[in-house]
Amino acid sequence: MYGTIRIAKSPLTGKAAGAKLTQAASAYCYGTRSYSIATRAGFVVAKHNPSSPKRQFSSTTRTQLDVFPAPANAPNIKVTPPAWHHPVYTEEQMNSIKIAHREAKTWSDKVALGMMRMLRFGMDFFTGYSHDEAVSKGNKDAVNARKAGWYSPMDERKWLIRCVFLESVAGVPGMVGGMLRHLHSIRRLERDNGWIETLLEEAYNERMHLLTFLKLAEPKWFMRTMLLGAQGVWFNALFLSYLISPRTCHRFVGYLEEEAVITYSRCIADIDAGRLPLFTTMQAPEIAIRYWNMPEGNRSIRDLMMYIRADEAKHREVNHTLGNLEQREDPNPFVSEYKDTKAVHPGKGIENLKATGWEREEVI
């Protein structure tokens, strides 16, 4: 059992106290041991309870404010900013993100969908994630969706386990695709038509998701072992698959991102329904605030999930669109300039987001 939280009469004040409360609350929920958190006038004390059983997923001991620390052997370096700057999302744009599914029309699409469902089943099992089929089809409100089972309900700890595992896997496809297209380009002595940068940027974005979640919870040896094995199998499987059929791989990733949108929609719905009370008191890590340029007053865990869900919706659009194109000939429509500037075209942001992807006739 977890420890108890005792709140004193004197309220916490100041940003430092808020950060301490966030760190202590995270340790309380996700730590390898339980804690009794006592608040005083302006500070927090977390007391260790040795009687609690060990867990394989614990809170990180690193401070949330230590974002891009200078290397120990580079005293002249002040900060290392992100290589790719994230586009600015408005609240209206993020609220407009919807669950969507692209119908599998060809044999390639059906293979991709089948492989995604198999991967989803395994991931759900190992992360203890519950899932309502009606939500994925858009026939049921995520707030009211609650599947009963031995692995329910989803609490804060399970959500962080799920997110860490998901993002560690999601960062692989873009890197594999970008790497192989880079090698094809220099081997064939041909231009790539702008695909490489978008694929590598997608991998970078997914890695930033992972680094953000690692500021909230740190996996121990069991989870790290699972991630090591999963990455080894996942990378090599994607490597061979992309050599055989890049179109199928992009469709597969598009279906995978559809599920990611469902996952984060469920998490947001659980926060709104009051099922994740610790998430309502925690703030987004500094690394997330800098990367997404999160405005003051909109830096909660719920806001963080909204930004990440919007990113996943963008990846869903990108990969479904790339899966519709001629892989060796067509330019990347997300970085191209169009002759008709008045028409709606795809871009790097989500202002013209198309959930099931752009058809080739619309962009080429």
Side-chain angles (χ1 to χ4, degrees):
M1 296 295 291
Y2 294 129
T4 59
I5 297 180
R6 303 193 308 272
I7 301 179
K9 294 181 180 180
S10 301
L12 290 173
T13 58
K15 294 182 178 179
K20 287 181 178 295
L21 177 60
T22 298
Q23 185 178 9
S26 179
Y28 160 77
C29 184
Y30 312 109
T32 55
R33 302 171 178 84
S34 65
Y35 289 80
S36 176
I37 304 173
T39 61
R40 295 294 183 265
F43 65 95
V44 175
V45 180
K47 299 179 180 178
H48 169 224
N49 182 359
S51 63
S52 176
K54 286 187 177 182
R55 297 183 179 275
Q56 300 304 331
F57 207 91
S58 68
S59 64
T60 176
T61 57
R62 293 171 293 183
T63 173
Q64 290 188 352
L65 298 179
D66 193 16
V67 185
F68 300 115
N73 60 347
N76 294 328
I77 302 298
K78 179 181 179 181
V79 66
T80 304
W84 278 284
H85 294 283
H86 195 279
V88 177
Y89 295 161
T90 66
E91 186 174 357
E92 181 182 0
Q93 290 172 346
M94 291 189 291
N95 286 329
S96 67
I97 301 299
K98 302 296 182 184
I99 294 173
H101 173 66
R102 181 184 176 90
E103 181 183 354
K105 300 177 181 179
T106 66
W107 70 267
S108 176
D109 293 351
K110 294 177 181 178
V111 169
L113 182 59
M115 293 300 295
M116 185 281 297
R117 287 175 174 169
M118 184 172 64
L119 178 66
R120 174 67 191 255
F121 174 80
M123 188 177 295
D124 288 352
F125 178 80
F126 285 110
T127 61
Y129 175 75
S130 59
H131 168 67
D132 195 313
E133 188 68 23
V135 176
S136 65
K137 296 180 179 180
N139 298 329
K140 188 176 182 180
D141 185 6
V143 175
N144 300 319
R146 200 69 168 177
K147 180 179 178 180
W150 65 272
Y151 45 79
S152 291
M154 292 292 290
D155 56 16
E156 293 92 343
R157 178 176 174 272
K158 283 187 176 181
W159 272 118
L160 287 179
I161 292 176
R162 170 75 177 183
C163 292
V164 168
F165 198 91
L166 175 64
E167 298 301 344
S168 67
V169 170
V172 176
M175 179 58 65
V176 171
M179 176 190 70
L180 285 176
R181 294 191 70 92
H182 169 76
L183 294 176
H184 288 171
S185 178
I186 60 178
R187 184 174 68 252
R188 296 168 178 166
L189 306 179
E190 298 175 351
R191 291 191 59 183
D192 177 68
N193 293 322
W195 289 48
I196 295 174
E197 181 181 11
T198 294
L199 294 174
L200 294 182
E201 187 174 4
E202 176 183 312
Y204 179 87
N205 176 255
E206 299 286 11
R207 188 177 67 89
M208 291 300 293
H209 293 177
L210 176 62
L211 294 179
T212 297
F213 285 121
L214 290 178
K215 288 293 182 178
L216 300 175
E218 181 180 351
K220 304 304 288 185
W221 68 267
F222 181 74
M223 175 63 75
R224 291 177 181 271
T225 302
M226 288 181 60
L227 295 178
L228 179 64
Q231 187 178 97
V233 174
W234 181 232
F235 179 89
N236 287 286
L238 276 173
F239 181 86
L240 295 175
S241 300
Y242 206 92
L243 288 174
I244 297 171
S245 178
R247 184 191 302 274
T248 304
C249 288
H250 285 299
R251 186 71 70 218
F252 168 79
V253 177
Y255 286 134
L256 194 65
E257 299 295 356
E258 289 180 1
E259 298 299 317
V261 173
I262 295 173
T263 294
Y264 288 111
S265 296
R266 288 289 308 277
C267 183
I268 294 169
D270 276 1
I271 295 174
D272 292 341
R275 300 189 183 108
L276 306 174
L278 282 179
F279 279 179
T280 62
T281 61
M282 298 169 64
Q283 293 293 301
E286 186 68 18
I287 188 173
I289 295 173
R290 290 192 184 187
Y291 179 65
W292 281 284
N293 295 310
M294 300 175 71
E296 191 75 32
N298 295 94
R299 297 176 177 179
S300 66
I301 297 299
R302 185 189 187 279
D303 294 319
L304 174 64
M305 295 298 180
M306 291 287 287
Y307 277 98
I308 295 178
R309 184 180 68 169
D311 285 345
E312 306 296 1
K314 185 62 183 179
H315 301 328
R316 175 184 64 186
E317 175 199 37
V318 169
N319 281 279
H320 275 319
T321 301
L322 296 182
N324 295 334
L325 305 181
E326 294 295 333
Q327 302 297 299
R328 291 190 59 176
E329 301 174 3
D330 291 342
N332 179 2
F334 294 95
V335 296
S336 299
E337 295 182 3
Y338 293 86
K339 296 179 180 179
D340 186 359
T341 58
K342 295 182 180 180
V344 176
H345 301 294
K348 285 193 172 184
I350 60 174
E351 56 274 5
N352 297 326
L353 191 69
K354 199 163 188 177
T356 57
W358 298 75
E359 299 298 330
R360 186 173 186 272
E361 300 77 34
E362 297 176 298
V363 294
I364 303 298

